[in-house]
Amino acid sequence: MDGKKVILSGIQPSGILTIGNYLGAIRNWGAMQDEYDCLFMLADLHTLTVKQDPACLRANTYELTALYLACGLDPVKSVLFLQSHVSAHTELTWILNTVSYPGELSRMTQFKDKSLKHADNINMGLMDYPVLMAADILLYQADVVPIGADQKQHLELTRDLAIRFNNRYSETFKVPEAYIGKVGAKIYSLQEPDKKMSKSDENVNAFISMDDDTDTIMRKFKRAVTDSGSEIRRAEDKPGITNLINIYSLFANKTPEETEKEFDGVSYAEFKMRTGEAVAAVIEPIRAEKNRLLKDKGYIDQLLAQGAEKAEYLANKTLRKVYKKVGLLPRVRI
Ligand code: TRP
């Protein structure tokens, strides 16, 4: 890498992404890739901490890789790879386990939440999840880690582990900073606009998936909940319309003020239709490109192999340093 700051971003290949994920993260990559050395990792090992159907996991991994590429991730500028392809991730996890305490891991909010949600499968991986995540980050000496607010605690732990290791064995890891996306990413449910848009909502009309076709998008916006009154204007007592104004603005590249002006005097029904059109105009070409890429799994395999090779080179540099510092003998090549 060439002296630019390093960004590592990780996402689990576990099902659909919504336009909230797109606006909050994926959309900003284009610019990011020039300014930073970016590593985009699919955290496939993390998904195994809850039950996965193996065939679904394979399909989801291809889907998400293709979606990333379709959204403009450039595999020449950035490193795109699978966590499971670079064994240094699990190897560093072991070392970091020796400086992690069960107390701090069992106190993690996500561990507690998931233990309740998956009470029949509280496994060691679920508890060790943040240590694997710390390994993901520390291996690449990442400066910045873009995360959702729900991962903040895990990043704090990563920093703690880095500092703890550095104090015990001398300076080894860069202590990373979190980057938590801006408010522009706050997209609410189309059905209950006081709730965040979520891919796990039982009501499929509540969210727009990156895999929805134009008809589906139009239908969902038509059914979107609005508020009393008839003006297209943001207001605290108009969460439905406010959400739609934000969505339209983000997809049409306008400010909310411009959107309000543009739709002055227009009916809710018309505005909902225009919002659907603006969203579909962005999503449809991405979906088409993703589906085109998915037809050639061999090509995706090749890209992931190239990504793994680049990632592995960087990761092994750190791992070797770590092994040496803790006193493991270097393996001599014969
Ligand atoms: N735990 C993250 C999530 O579910 C995904 C992840 C795994 C990650 N490893 C990472 C994110 C490293 C950032 C850096 O959102």
Side-chain angles (χ1 to χ4, degrees):
M1 300 225 165
D2 48 15
K4 290 181 193 162
K5 284 203 169 180
V6 175
I7 287 198
L8 179 118
S9 149
I11 186 168
Q12 295 190 50
S14 50
I16 41 182
L17 295 187
T18 70
I19 53 169
N21 301 112
Y22 174 72
L23 296 169
I26 308 177
R27 187 170 81 140
N28 312 322
W29 291 345
M32 232 166 75
Q33 293 182 105
D34 293 321
E35 207 175 318
Y36 300 93
D37 280 329
C38 295
L39 295 132
F40 294 101
M41 180 196 74
L42 271 61
D44 52 358
L45 295 172
H46 273 111
T47 67
L48 298 173
T49 57
V50 301
K51 275 188 198 129
Q52 297 289 330
D53 172 69
C56 286
L57 175 57
R58 269 189 291 273
N60 284 336
T61 305
Y62 277 122
E63 276 277 334
L64 189 59
T65 307
L67 180 64
Y68 269 23
L69 294 166
C71 287
L73 192 155
D74 180 341
V76 175
K77 285 187 196 161
S78 302
V79 183
L80 171 63
F81 70 103
L82 304 186
Q83 186 183 36
S84 64
H85 283 179
V86 180
S87 59
H89 290 250
T90 44
E91 293 171 278
L92 181 60
T93 300
W94 178 255
I95 303 295
L96 292 178
N97 273 336
T98 66
V99 294
S100 306
Y101 308 123
E104 62 190 345
L105 297 180
S106 59
R107 272 198 303 276
M108 292 283 127
T109 308
Q110 184 181 279
F111 173 67
K112 289 194 277 187
D113 288 349
K114 288 196 176 172
S115 298
L116 289 174
K117 207 167 145 201
H118 306 278
D120 58 338
N121 183 26
I122 305 176
N123 60 81
M124 284 306 293
L126 198 57
M127 190 156 139
D128 212 28
Y129 177 117
V131 182
L132 175 58
M133 181 162 159
D136 298 338
I137 297 166
L138 299 178
L139 274 176
Y140 299 97
Q141 308 287 351
D143 295 278
V144 183
V145 184
I147 44 168
D150 63 321
Q151 298 295 313
K152 217 173 132 189
Q153 207 179 28
H154 292 162
L155 204 93
E156 277 306 313
L157 182 86
T158 302
R159 293 167 54 90
D160 288 347
L161 295 181
I163 292 167
R164 200 176 294 162
F165 187 98
N166 288 349
N167 283 342
R168 190 174 300 180
Y169 295 106
S170 83
E171 202 61 28
T172 308
F173 296 122
K174 163 112 14 108
V175 181
E177 302 287 337
Y179 172 77
I180 297 179
K182 291 199 201 77
V183 273
K186 272 227 169 126
I187 298 299
Y188 294 90
S189 157
L190 298 183
Q191 291 297 315
E192 295 165 83
D194 48 350
K195 265 180 32 187
K196 217 182 122 187
M197 183 180 283
S198 164
K199 62 181 176 184
S200 41
D201 206 305
E202 292 126 43
N203 184 350
V204 292
N205 289 319
F207 60 84
I208 305 286
S209 137
M210 290 301 287
D211 213 24
D212 283 344
D213 61 22
T214 299
D215 285 350
T216 308
I217 293 173
M218 294 307 290
R219 196 183 63 239
K220 288 183 178 178
F221 276 103
K222 215 182 222 164
R223 292 194 188 157
V225 167
T226 45
D227 318 280
S228 57
S230 59
E231 268 175 278
I232 315 289
R233 172 174 61 74
R234 286 163 303 153
E236 210 148 298
D237 60 346
K238 289 160 79 86
I241 282 293
T242 303
N243 189 35
L244 293 179
I245 290 174
N246 287 334
I247 294 174
Y248 178 85
S249 306
L250 288 162
F251 276 95
N253 283 318
K254 307 235 159 101
T255 65
E257 291 75 19
E258 286 168 342
T259 299
E260 286 171 340
K261 214 178 259 166
E262 182 179 345
F263 290 101
D264 186 32
V266 170
S267 70
Y268 278 1
E270 167 81 11
F271 176 55
K272 289 202 275 186
M273 215 182 70
R274 295 278 301 280
T275 304
E277 285 166 0
V279 173
V282 174
I283 302 304
E284 186 66 40
I286 293 176
R287 200 176 66 93
E289 173 64 2
K290 182 203 71 178
N291 287 335
R292 188 188 71 79
L293 288 163
L294 277 175
K295 290 202 187 104
D296 190 354
K297 301 257 176 15
Y299 173 70
I300 296 178
D301 288 337
Q302 283 303 314
L303 286 185
L304 288 175
Q306 287 164 12
E309 197 148 308
K310 290 191 240 172
E312 188 168 51
Y313 171 78
L314 298 167
N316 281 343
K317 266 209 292 207
T318 300
L319 186 70
R320 272 197 305 273
K321 217 197 264 181
V322 168
Y323 274 14
K324 193 168 162 205
K325 294 232 180 168
V326 301
L328 301 172
L329 286 187
R331 175 176 163 193
V332 177
R333 297 286 150 186
I334 47 173

